[in-house]
Amino acid sequence: MSRALRILIAAAVLLGGAASPSAAETAQLMRGTAIADPDLLRKLDDGDVLTIPRLLAPARKADGPLTTDRLFASLPQLKDIPPAIDAELERYIGQRKAAYPTETIGVGEGFDVQLFDRANLASPDTRFVLAGIVNRMDRAYVAEESCGEIRLIYRLARFDARTDRGTIATRLPMTFNLVIKARDARQTEGGGKPISCAEIARRWLDNGNWQELIGGRDDSMLDRIETNIQVSVAPKSALHDFRSDYLLKVFKYDAATKTFAEAVLENQIDRDRILADDALRRDFRDWLLAPGNLREFDRGTVLIPERFLAKAAVVATPAGLDASALQPEFGMLQGEEGGEGSGAPVFTDDDVVGALKQAAARGDMQNIRSVAGFQRRLNDVTCSGCHQTRGIGGFHFPGVDWLADKPSNAAIVPASPHFVGDQLRRRDILTAFATGKRPDFSRGFASRPQTRGSRELAGSEYQDGWGAHCSLRDAGSGTPDKSFTSWNCANGLTCQAAAASRRIGMCFIKTR
């Protein structure tokens, strides 16, 4: 682990140099917070420096890249991942067949619903390649002693033989995120003092002495693995619009068993289970509306207890801008119809309005100032709700396709608008760490970046430019919702409804 972490920070420093033309548009925004340079990622991957086997088994004798058939078989830490994914896929297939019994479902273009081919996870022709590295010290509020986390993001790829004995590489719709702690508490810097969060942040932001950032020589830095798979694609039909579903799973590292075990997803509310249980419904309402929890919920830093959470999530895209059954919270607020047997909602309008009024009197609220704001936060605080917001399908960081000689335009952009727009907030937190200040970990809604006074995003699609999300004026009062009053458009653009959207629209040139 130590050698890998030294090289990881070195990579962050190198990114300050010239970026490849394909990444030029977003490289400056991501400087110090993410690595998406294709040439650098290729070197780190081809050199077996930051591959999954090298990080999980540093003592392993390198005998070439581990394809997926060997990866899961030879690394015991990963043994529980394939069966857990299989179980979720079988459950998904059963639910899909029950919902649309007349549709065919299977692998290949001959089916109405085209499934992810699970054979790709046990194939000698596929492997995970390094697609990016992301600094998430902005998540230090989850575990302050580790200064947040670093995510190494891998993309599944298939390598087919060519007639000239070379290979054709094709990226497949799955990411595998190895999440490690940003620091090991046993690490030291000058004078034998434990390395500080400030020093780690400085080495990401500046050309600092990264060589002294040495991780543990064991598994102490490992935290979890996150997987995201596009499990199906269903073209538009008489039964439904076009839909693509993504399966999210998390596997937490267990130091006792030295394996990654299936775990709940952070803040992924188990809607159906909560709605079906009167006691759980009341407990969740009371917990979330408690003053301290509501304050953190408003700021986007709430950590919902595990008893309310799910171990898997299916992200349906596109989900639209307004509340619908495709969104994770749907059915929890008054006026929304939830799933089967959902019964009463978790939150009535009076519950929310009363709690917000008391919170406003305390000066607690920064973002949520209405029932609509509460509903939007309840969606985007979840994994699936966030992935539905300004994502590239169900992904936020697909990475640049450095495998292709001439990647398509769709693969040149390394990250989603939501990801790119959030980089200023993340950099602000790194800067606070680096200068010894207490960071402000709060975040705005996923649809609109929290700029913290910066004008760097002004006029862009990320804030108020063409295609940005904006607040529509209420048809009755003629005013925008109080939670979204600052969501305006740049000069020359107006906020216009997209499809059937009522509260949130998009900034476009006025045509009438």
Side-chain angles (χ1 to χ4, degrees):
M1 290 293 292
S2 59
R3 176 173 174 266
L5 284 171
R6 288 198 302 270
I7 295 174
L8 190 157
I9 301 299
V13 171
L14 289 173
L15 192 63
S20 65
S22 62
E25 183 179 355
T26 57
Q28 185 58 36
L29 282 174
M30 293 190 293
R31 187 182 188 278
T33 59
I35 298 173
D37 182 81
D39 294 331
L40 179 56
L41 294 171
R42 182 196 298 270
K43 292 175 182 176
L44 294 173
D45 188 89
D46 286 349
D48 193 29
V49 176
L50 290 181
T51 61
I52 296 170
R54 178 59 57 207
L55 291 167
L56 297 185
R60 181 186 71 90
K61 182 179 180 181
D63 57 351
L66 278 188
T67 51
T68 54
D69 60 328
R70 299 169 58 211
L71 180 74
F72 293 106
S74 62
L75 296 180
Q77 301 100 316
L78 306 179
K79 66 181 180 63
D80 293 333
I81 294 180
I85 290 175
D86 275 342
E88 293 295 346
L89 286 172
E90 288 299 327
R91 187 177 297 112
Y92 173 82
I93 292 169
Q95 293 171 345
R96 187 79 195 197
K97 286 181 176 179
Y100 301 99
T102 61
E103 286 191 327
T104 59
I105 182 168
V107 176
E109 295 182 357
F111 294 92
D112 297 323
V113 179
Q114 300 161 24
L115 290 173
F116 174 79
D117 189 354
R118 279 178 275 180
N120 288 319
L121 294 180
S123 170
D125 300 319
T126 61
R127 71 177 181 90
F128 291 99
V129 299
L130 185 64
I133 304 168
V134 180
N135 182 309
R136 293 307 307 271
M137 291 181 71
D138 64 290
R139 285 178 43 78
Y141 66 89
V142 177
E144 291 190 14
E145 67 277 5
S146 60
C147 305
E149 60 200 38
I150 308 299
R151 298 183 183 185
L152 296 106
I153 302 175
Y154 301 87
R155 182 80 177 211
L156 185 62
R158 184 177 65 245
F159 296 83
D160 296 315
R162 298 190 310 202
T163 55
D164 62 358
R165 296 186 180 181
T167 58
I168 299 175
T170 305
R171 300 207 314 173
L172 301 176
M174 176 179 180
T175 58
F176 180 109
N177 303 345
L178 178 60
V179 183
I180 64 175
K181 300 170 186 176
R183 76 163 176 181
D184 185 336
R186 298 170 300 180
Q187 292 172 262
T188 60
E189 51 182 326
K193 295 181 180 180
I195 194 164
S196 64
C197 298
E199 180 62 20
I200 295 174
R202 284 193 292 268
R203 293 174 188 179
W204 275 85
L205 292 169
D206 306 321
N207 295 334
N209 185 15
W210 57 267
Q211 291 94 334
E212 292 184 3
L213 187 60
I214 301 174
R217 295 183 179 274
D218 50 28
D219 57 359
S220 61
M221 299 290 284
L222 300 178
D223 187 80
R224 66 189 183 278
I225 285 170
E226 303 170 341
T227 60
N228 184 0
I229 304 172
Q230 184 189 51
V231 290
S232 75
V233 175
K236 184 176 181 179
S237 71
L239 298 175
H240 52 73
D241 291 331
F242 170 84
R243 178 170 164 178
S244 181
D245 289 349
Y246 297 78
L247 172 66
L248 307 181
K249 291 285 291 178
V250 169
F251 302 87
K252 189 77 173 175
Y253 187 69
D254 186 332
T257 63
K258 296 190 178 300
T259 59
F260 288 92
E262 192 176 14
V264 297
L265 282 70
E266 183 178 293
N267 289 348
Q268 183 64 41
I269 50 178
D270 195 333
R271 177 188 66 188
D272 294 341
R273 186 165 58 86
I274 293 173
L275 289 175
D277 187 322
D278 289 341
L280 199 61
R281 185 192 299 117
R282 289 191 298 270
D283 286 349
F284 184 55
R285 178 198 63 200
D286 295 345
W287 184 90
L288 189 56
L289 295 183
N293 298 330
L294 184 60
R295 181 182 185 277
E296 296 305 315
F297 179 66
D298 170 77
R299 283 154 175 72
T301 56
V302 71
L303 295 173
I304 299 173
E306 289 191 8
R307 69 181 185 276
F308 302 121
L309 305 181
K311 287 188 175 181
V314 173
V315 184
T317 63
L321 298 176
D322 284 350
S324 76
L326 298 180
Q327 297 175 338
E329 69 75 34
F330 193 75
M332 288 194 154
L333 268 69
Q334 183 178 343
E336 298 175 340
E337 296 180 1
E340 293 184 11
S342 59
V346 179
F347 306 98
T348 66
D349 286 354
D350 287 344
D351 290 334
V352 176
V353 171
L356 293 182
K357 185 177 180 179
Q358 294 176 26
R362 295 190 300 269
D364 283 350
M365 295 291 100
Q366 292 183 352
N367 300 291
I368 304 171
R369 294 182 172 87
S370 63
V371 174
F374 185 92
Q375 181 268 344
R376 186 159 293 272
R377 177 62 95 197
L378 196 54
N379 269 319
D380 74 27
V381 78
T382 69
C383 299
S384 55
C386 181
H387 276 258
Q388 287 175 326
T389 306
R390 307 211 75 190
I392 300 175
F395 296 105
H396 276 307
F397 194 95
V400 176
D401 186 5
W402 54 260
L403 293 167
D405 293 333
K406 295 181 179 180
S408 67
N409 288 335
I412 287 176
V413 179
S416 72
H418 167 71
F419 178 95
V420 176
D422 197 41
Q423 296 310 301
L424 293 184
R425 183 190 68 89
R426 298 183 189 183
R427 192 196 311 159
D428 180 75
I429 290 172
L430 282 181
T431 302
F433 268 127
T435 56
K437 299 177 182 178
R438 174 69 182 177
D440 174 7
F441 294 110
S442 66
R443 63 179 177 88
F445 294 106
S447 290
R448 189 89 171 196
Q450 187 181 47
T451 58
R452 305 191 179 202
S454 169
R455 298 294 296 166
E456 195 169 344
L457 297 178
S460 72
E461 64 175 301
Y462 310 117
Q463 184 174 334
D464 56 0
W466 194 94
H469 287 187
C470 53
S471 177
L472 293 169
R473 295 191 175 273
D474 183 82
S477 66
T479 59
D481 189 283
K482 291 181 179 179
S483 293
F484 318 115
T485 51
S486 64
W487 295 23
N488 299 313
C489 298
N491 291 336
L493 304 176
T494 62
C495 191
Q496 302 178 36
S501 59
R502 294 181 300 112
R503 289 193 177 91
I504 304 302
M506 300 179 75
C507 295
F508 295 124
I509 297 174
K510 188 174 182 179
T511 56
R512 64 182 185 275

Short mmCIF file of all heavy atoms in Angstrom, two decimals, residues 405-451:
data_model
loop_
_atom_site.label_atom_id
_atom_site.label_comp_id
_atom_site.label_asym_id
_atom_site.label_seq_id
_atom_site.Cartn_x
_atom_site.Cartn_y
_atom_site.Cartn_z
N ASP A 405 -8.01 4.52 -29.50
CA ASP A 405 -7.10 5.43 -30.21
C ASP A 405 -7.78 6.78 -30.44
O ASP A 405 -7.17 7.83 -30.29
CB ASP A 405 -6.69 4.82 -31.56
CG ASP A 405 -5.82 3.58 -31.38
OD1 ASP A 405 -5.14 3.49 -30.35
OD2 ASP A 405 -5.85 2.70 -32.26
N LYS A 406 -9.05 6.74 -30.83
CA LYS A 406 -9.83 7.95 -31.06
C LYS A 406 -11.18 7.79 -30.37
O LYS A 406 -12.16 7.38 -30.99
CB LYS A 406 -10.02 8.20 -32.56
CG LYS A 406 -8.73 8.49 -33.31
CD LYS A 406 -8.99 8.75 -34.78
CE LYS A 406 -7.69 9.06 -35.51
NZ LYS A 406 -7.95 9.31 -36.96
N PRO A 407 -11.23 8.06 -29.06
CA PRO A 407 -12.48 7.87 -28.34
C PRO A 407 -13.59 8.76 -28.87
O PRO A 407 -13.35 9.84 -29.37
CB PRO A 407 -12.11 8.25 -26.90
CG PRO A 407 -10.94 9.14 -27.03
CD PRO A 407 -10.17 8.63 -28.22
N SER A 408 -14.82 8.26 -28.78
CA SER A 408 -15.98 9.03 -29.24
C SER A 408 -16.21 10.23 -28.34
O SER A 408 -15.71 10.29 -27.22
CB SER A 408 -17.23 8.14 -29.24
OG SER A 408 -17.57 7.80 -27.91
N ASN A 409 -16.99 11.17 -28.82
CA ASN A 409 -17.28 12.36 -28.02
C ASN A 409 -17.94 12.00 -26.70
O ASN A 409 -17.75 12.65 -25.69
CB ASN A 409 -18.19 13.32 -28.81
CG ASN A 409 -17.44 14.00 -29.94
OD1 ASN A 409 -16.23 14.13 -29.87
ND2 ASN A 409 -18.16 14.42 -30.96
N ALA A 410 -18.75 10.93 -26.70
CA ALA A 410 -19.45 10.53 -25.49
C ALA A 410 -18.49 10.09 -24.40
O ALA A 410 -18.81 10.15 -23.22
CB ALA A 410 -20.44 9.41 -25.80
N ALA A 411 -17.31 9.63 -24.77
CA ALA A 411 -16.36 9.12 -23.78
C ALA A 411 -15.27 10.13 -23.44
O ALA A 411 -14.49 9.90 -22.54
CB ALA A 411 -15.72 7.83 -24.30
N ILE A 412 -15.19 11.24 -24.19
CA ILE A 412 -14.15 12.23 -23.94
C ILE A 412 -14.39 12.96 -22.62
O ILE A 412 -13.47 13.24 -21.87
CB ILE A 412 -14.05 13.23 -25.12
CG1 ILE A 412 -13.41 12.54 -26.32
CG2 ILE A 412 -13.25 14.45 -24.73
CD1 ILE A 412 -13.35 13.39 -27.56
N VAL A 413 -15.64 13.28 -22.32
CA VAL A 413 -15.97 13.97 -21.08
C VAL A 413 -15.83 12.97 -19.93
O VAL A 413 -16.51 11.96 -19.91
CB VAL A 413 -17.40 14.53 -21.13
CG1 VAL A 413 -17.74 15.24 -19.82
CG2 VAL A 413 -17.55 15.49 -22.30
N PRO A 414 -14.95 13.23 -18.96
CA PRO A 414 -14.69 12.23 -17.93
C PRO A 414 -15.74 12.14 -16.85
O PRO A 414 -15.81 11.13 -16.14
CB PRO A 414 -13.36 12.70 -17.33
CG PRO A 414 -13.39 14.19 -17.52
CD PRO A 414 -14.08 14.40 -18.84
N ALA A 415 -16.59 13.18 -16.70
CA ALA A 415 -17.50 13.20 -15.57
C ALA A 415 -18.78 13.95 -15.91
O ALA A 415 -18.85 14.68 -16.89
CB ALA A 415 -16.82 13.85 -14.36
N SER A 416 -19.78 13.76 -15.06
CA SER A 416 -21.09 14.35 -15.28
C SER A 416 -21.11 15.84 -14.91
O SER A 416 -20.23 16.32 -14.18
CB SER A 416 -22.14 13.62 -14.45
OG SER A 416 -21.98 13.95 -13.07
N PRO A 417 -22.14 16.59 -15.36
CA PRO A 417 -22.26 17.99 -14.93
C PRO A 417 -22.35 18.15 -13.42
O PRO A 417 -21.82 19.11 -12.87
CB PRO A 417 -23.56 18.44 -15.63
CG PRO A 417 -23.66 17.57 -16.83
CD PRO A 417 -23.12 16.23 -16.40
N HIS A 418 -23.00 17.23 -12.74
CA HIS A 418 -23.08 17.30 -11.28
C HIS A 418 -21.69 17.19 -10.67
O HIS A 418 -21.33 17.97 -9.78
CB HIS A 418 -23.99 16.20 -10.74
CG HIS A 418 -23.89 16.02 -9.25
ND1 HIS A 418 -24.38 16.95 -8.36
CD2 HIS A 418 -23.33 15.05 -8.50
CE1 HIS A 418 -24.14 16.55 -7.12
NE2 HIS A 418 -23.50 15.39 -7.18
N PHE A 419 -20.90 16.22 -11.14
CA PHE A 419 -19.55 16.02 -10.61
C PHE A 419 -18.69 17.25 -10.85
O PHE A 419 -18.03 17.75 -9.93
CB PHE A 419 -18.94 14.80 -11.29
CG PHE A 419 -17.52 14.51 -10.87
CD1 PHE A 419 -17.24 13.60 -9.85
CD2 PHE A 419 -16.44 15.14 -11.49
CE1 PHE A 419 -15.94 13.34 -9.46
CE2 PHE A 419 -15.13 14.88 -11.10
CZ PHE A 419 -14.89 13.98 -10.08
N VAL A 420 -18.68 17.75 -12.07
CA VAL A 420 -17.82 18.89 -12.40
C VAL A 420 -18.24 20.12 -11.62
O VAL A 420 -17.41 20.86 -11.07
CB VAL A 420 -17.85 19.16 -13.92
CG1 VAL A 420 -17.03 20.41 -14.25
CG2 VAL A 420 -17.31 17.96 -14.69
N GLY A 421 -19.55 20.36 -11.51
CA GLY A 421 -20.03 21.53 -10.80
C GLY A 421 -19.70 21.51 -9.32
O GLY A 421 -19.66 22.57 -8.68
N ASP A 422 -19.46 20.33 -8.76
CA ASP A 422 -19.18 20.21 -7.32
C ASP A 422 -17.70 20.40 -6.99
O ASP A 422 -17.33 20.43 -5.82
CB ASP A 422 -19.64 18.83 -6.82
CG ASP A 422 -19.77 18.77 -5.31
OD1 ASP A 422 -20.27 19.73 -4.70
OD2 ASP A 422 -19.37 17.74 -4.72
N GLN A 423 -16.84 20.53 -8.01
CA GLN A 423 -15.40 20.60 -7.74
C GLN A 423 -14.98 21.86 -6.99
O GLN A 423 -14.05 21.82 -6.19
CB GLN A 423 -14.61 20.47 -9.04
CG GLN A 423 -14.79 19.13 -9.75
CD GLN A 423 -14.59 17.95 -8.82
OE1 GLN A 423 -13.52 17.79 -8.23
NE2 GLN A 423 -15.61 17.12 -8.69
N LEU A 424 -15.65 22.98 -7.22
CA LEU A 424 -15.29 24.21 -6.50
C LEU A 424 -15.52 24.05 -5.00
O LEU A 424 -14.71 24.49 -4.18
CB LEU A 424 -16.09 25.39 -7.03
CG LEU A 424 -15.80 25.84 -8.46
CD1 LEU A 424 -16.62 27.08 -8.78
CD2 LEU A 424 -14.32 26.13 -8.66
N ARG A 425 -16.63 23.42 -4.63
CA ARG A 425 -16.92 23.18 -3.21
C ARG A 425 -15.86 22.26 -2.61
O ARG A 425 -15.35 22.50 -1.51
CB ARG A 425 -18.30 22.56 -3.06
CG ARG A 425 -18.74 22.32 -1.61
CD ARG A 425 -20.01 21.50 -1.56
NE ARG A 425 -19.78 20.13 -2.01
CZ ARG A 425 -19.41 19.13 -1.20
NH1 ARG A 425 -19.23 19.35 0.08
NH2 ARG A 425 -19.21 17.92 -1.71
N ARG A 426 -15.50 21.22 -3.33
CA ARG A 426 -14.50 20.27 -2.84
C ARG A 426 -13.13 20.94 -2.71
O ARG A 426 -12.40 20.70 -1.75
CB ARG A 426 -14.42 19.06 -3.76
CG ARG A 426 -15.72 18.27 -3.85
CD ARG A 426 -15.58 17.05 -4.73
NE ARG A 426 -16.88 16.42 -4.98
CZ ARG A 426 -17.04 15.30 -5.67
NH1 ARG A 426 -15.98 14.69 -6.19
NH2 ARG A 426 -18.25 14.79 -5.85
N ARG A 427 -12.78 21.77 -3.69
CA ARG A 427 -11.50 22.47 -3.62
C ARG A 427 -11.48 23.46 -2.46
O ARG A 427 -10.46 23.63 -1.78
CB ARG A 427 -11.23 23.20 -4.93
CG ARG A 427 -9.78 23.71 -5.06
CD ARG A 427 -9.64 24.73 -6.16
NE ARG A 427 -10.23 24.29 -7.40
CZ ARG A 427 -10.59 25.12 -8.38
NH1 ARG A 427 -10.43 26.43 -8.21
NH2 ARG A 427 -11.12 24.67 -9.48
N ASP A 428 -12.62 24.11 -2.19
CA ASP A 428 -12.73 25.03 -1.07
C ASP A 428 -12.46 24.29 0.24
O ASP A 428 -11.80 24.84 1.14
CB ASP A 428 -14.13 25.64 -1.07
CG ASP A 428 -14.34 26.61 0.07
OD1 ASP A 428 -13.83 27.73 -0.01
OD2 ASP A 428 -15.03 26.25 1.06
N ILE A 429 -12.95 23.07 0.36
CA ILE A 429 -12.73 22.27 1.57
C ILE A 429 -11.27 21.86 1.69
O ILE A 429 -10.67 21.92 2.78
CB ILE A 429 -13.67 21.06 1.58
CG1 ILE A 429 -15.12 21.53 1.79
CG2 ILE A 429 -13.27 20.04 2.64
CD1 ILE A 429 -16.16 20.45 1.63
N LEU A 430 -10.65 21.47 0.59
CA LEU A 430 -9.23 21.14 0.61
C LEU A 430 -8.39 22.35 1.03
O LEU A 430 -7.44 22.22 1.81
CB LEU A 430 -8.77 20.66 -0.77
CG LEU A 430 -9.11 19.22 -1.18
CD1 LEU A 430 -8.55 18.95 -2.57
CD2 LEU A 430 -8.57 18.23 -0.19
N THR A 431 -8.76 23.51 0.51
CA THR A 431 -8.02 24.73 0.86
C THR A 431 -8.16 25.04 2.34
O THR A 431 -7.19 25.46 2.99
CB THR A 431 -8.52 25.91 0.00
OG1 THR A 431 -8.35 25.60 -1.38
CG2 THR A 431 -7.76 27.18 0.32
N ALA A 432 -9.35 24.86 2.88
CA ALA A 432 -9.55 25.09 4.31
C ALA A 432 -8.67 24.14 5.13
O ALA A 432 -8.00 24.55 6.08
CB ALA A 432 -11.02 24.89 4.67
N PHE A 433 -8.65 22.87 4.74
CA PHE A 433 -7.78 21.90 5.42
C PHE A 433 -6.33 22.37 5.36
O PHE A 433 -5.61 22.37 6.36
CB PHE A 433 -7.90 20.52 4.77
CG PHE A 433 -8.93 19.62 5.39
CD1 PHE A 433 -9.91 19.03 4.61
CD2 PHE A 433 -8.91 19.33 6.74
CE1 PHE A 433 -10.86 18.19 5.17
CE2 PHE A 433 -9.85 18.49 7.32
CZ PHE A 433 -10.83 17.91 6.52
N ALA A 434 -5.89 22.73 4.15
CA ALA A 434 -4.49 23.07 3.92
C ALA A 434 -4.05 24.28 4.72
O ALA A 434 -2.87 24.41 5.09
CB ALA A 434 -4.25 23.32 2.43
N THR A 435 -4.97 25.20 5.01
CA THR A 435 -4.63 26.42 5.74
C THR A 435 -4.97 26.32 7.22
O THR A 435 -4.91 27.32 7.94
CB THR A 435 -5.35 27.62 5.12
OG1 THR A 435 -6.76 27.37 5.10
CG2 THR A 435 -4.85 27.88 3.72
N GLY A 436 -5.34 25.12 7.68
CA GLY A 436 -5.59 24.92 9.09
C GLY A 436 -6.93 25.42 9.59
O GLY A 436 -7.13 25.57 10.79
N LYS A 437 -7.88 25.66 8.68
CA LYS A 437 -9.20 26.13 9.07
C LYS A 437 -10.18 24.95 9.17
O LYS A 437 -9.96 23.90 8.58
CB LYS A 437 -9.73 27.15 8.07
CG LYS A 437 -8.88 28.40 7.95
CD LYS A 437 -9.42 29.33 6.89
CE LYS A 437 -8.55 30.57 6.73
NZ LYS A 437 -9.05 31.46 5.64
N ARG A 438 -11.26 25.16 9.89
CA ARG A 438 -12.30 24.15 9.98
C ARG A 438 -13.14 24.21 8.71
O ARG A 438 -13.77 25.23 8.42
CB ARG A 438 -13.20 24.41 11.20
CG ARG A 438 -14.42 23.49 11.31
CD ARG A 438 -14.02 22.07 11.62
NE ARG A 438 -15.20 21.20 11.68
CZ ARG A 438 -15.14 19.89 11.88
NH1 ARG A 438 -13.96 19.31 12.07
NH2 ARG A 438 -16.24 19.17 11.93
N PRO A 439 -13.17 23.15 7.90
CA PRO A 439 -13.91 23.20 6.64
C PRO A 439 -15.42 23.28 6.86
O PRO A 439 -15.95 22.79 7.86
CB PRO A 439 -13.54 21.87 5.96
CG PRO A 439 -12.30 21.40 6.64
CD PRO A 439 -12.41 21.89 8.05
N ASP A 440 -16.08 23.89 5.92
CA ASP A 440 -17.54 23.89 5.87
C ASP A 440 -17.93 22.76 4.91
O ASP A 440 -17.76 22.87 3.71
CB ASP A 440 -18.05 25.24 5.35
CG ASP A 440 -19.56 25.26 5.14
OD1 ASP A 440 -20.23 24.27 5.50
OD2 ASP A 440 -20.06 26.26 4.59
N PHE A 441 -18.45 21.67 5.47
CA PHE A 441 -18.74 20.48 4.66
C PHE A 441 -20.11 20.54 3.99
O PHE A 441 -20.48 19.60 3.29
CB PHE A 441 -18.66 19.23 5.53
CG PHE A 441 -17.28 18.93 6.05
CD1 PHE A 441 -16.99 19.08 7.40
CD2 PHE A 441 -16.28 18.50 5.20
CE1 PHE A 441 -15.72 18.81 7.88
CE2 PHE A 441 -15.01 18.22 5.67
CZ PHE A 441 -14.73 18.38 7.02
N SER A 442 -20.87 21.58 4.20
CA SER A 442 -22.23 21.63 3.66
C SER A 442 -22.23 21.63 2.14
O SER A 442 -21.25 22.01 1.49
CB SER A 442 -22.95 22.88 4.17
OG SER A 442 -22.34 24.05 3.67
N ARG A 443 -23.33 21.20 1.57
CA ARG A 443 -23.49 21.22 0.11
C ARG A 443 -24.92 21.62 -0.23
O ARG A 443 -25.85 21.40 0.55
CB ARG A 443 -23.15 19.86 -0.51
CG ARG A 443 -24.05 18.71 -0.07
CD ARG A 443 -23.63 17.43 -0.76
NE ARG A 443 -24.40 16.28 -0.33
CZ ARG A 443 -25.55 15.90 -0.87
NH1 ARG A 443 -26.09 16.60 -1.86
NH2 ARG A 443 -26.20 14.83 -0.43
N GLY A 444 -25.09 22.18 -1.40
CA GLY A 444 -26.42 22.55 -1.87
C GLY A 444 -27.13 21.35 -2.46
O GLY A 444 -26.72 20.20 -2.28
N PHE A 445 -28.18 21.61 -3.22
CA PHE A 445 -28.88 20.53 -3.90
C PHE A 445 -28.03 20.00 -5.05
O PHE A 445 -27.22 20.73 -5.64
CB PHE A 445 -30.22 21.04 -4.45
CG PHE A 445 -31.20 21.43 -3.38
CD1 PHE A 445 -31.48 22.76 -3.12
CD2 PHE A 445 -31.86 20.47 -2.64
CE1 PHE A 445 -32.39 23.14 -2.15
CE2 PHE A 445 -32.78 20.83 -1.66
CZ PHE A 445 -33.04 22.16 -1.41
N ALA A 446 -28.22 18.73 -5.39
CA ALA A 446 -27.42 18.12 -6.44
C ALA A 446 -27.66 18.78 -7.80
O ALA A 446 -26.78 18.76 -8.66
CB ALA A 446 -27.73 16.61 -6.53
N SER A 447 -28.84 19.36 -8.01
CA SER A 447 -29.14 19.97 -9.30
C SER A 447 -28.38 21.27 -9.55
O SER A 447 -28.24 21.69 -10.70
CB SER A 447 -30.65 20.28 -9.38
OG SER A 447 -31.41 19.11 -9.50
N ARG A 448 -27.92 21.90 -8.50
CA ARG A 448 -27.31 23.22 -8.64
C ARG A 448 -26.09 23.31 -7.74
O ARG A 448 -26.18 23.14 -6.52
CB ARG A 448 -28.33 24.28 -8.23
CG ARG A 448 -27.94 25.70 -8.53
CD ARG A 448 -28.37 26.13 -9.90
NE ARG A 448 -28.16 27.57 -10.09
CZ ARG A 448 -28.71 28.29 -11.05
NH1 ARG A 448 -29.52 27.71 -11.92
NH2 ARG A 448 -28.46 29.57 -11.15
N PRO A 449 -24.89 23.57 -8.26
CA PRO A 449 -23.68 23.57 -7.43
C PRO A 449 -23.67 24.68 -6.41
O PRO A 449 -24.21 25.77 -6.63
CB PRO A 449 -22.55 23.76 -8.45
CG PRO A 449 -23.20 24.42 -9.62
CD PRO A 449 -24.58 23.86 -9.67
N GLN A 450 -23.07 24.40 -5.27
CA GLN A 450 -22.89 25.40 -4.21
C GLN A 450 -21.59 26.13 -4.51
O GLN A 450 -20.51 25.60 -4.33
CB GLN A 450 -22.84 24.71 -2.85
CG GLN A 450 -22.82 25.66 -1.67
CD GLN A 450 -22.74 24.91 -0.34
OE1 GLN A 450 -21.92 24.01 -0.21
NE2 GLN A 450 -23.56 25.27 0.61
N THR A 451 -21.69 27.37 -4.99
CA THR A 451 -20.50 28.08 -5.48
C THR A 451 -19.74 28.83 -4.40
O THR A 451 -18.61 29.24 -4.60
CB THR A 451 -20.89 29.07 -6.58
OG1 THR A 451 -21.86 29.98 -6.06
CG2 THR A 451 -21.50 28.34 -7.77
#
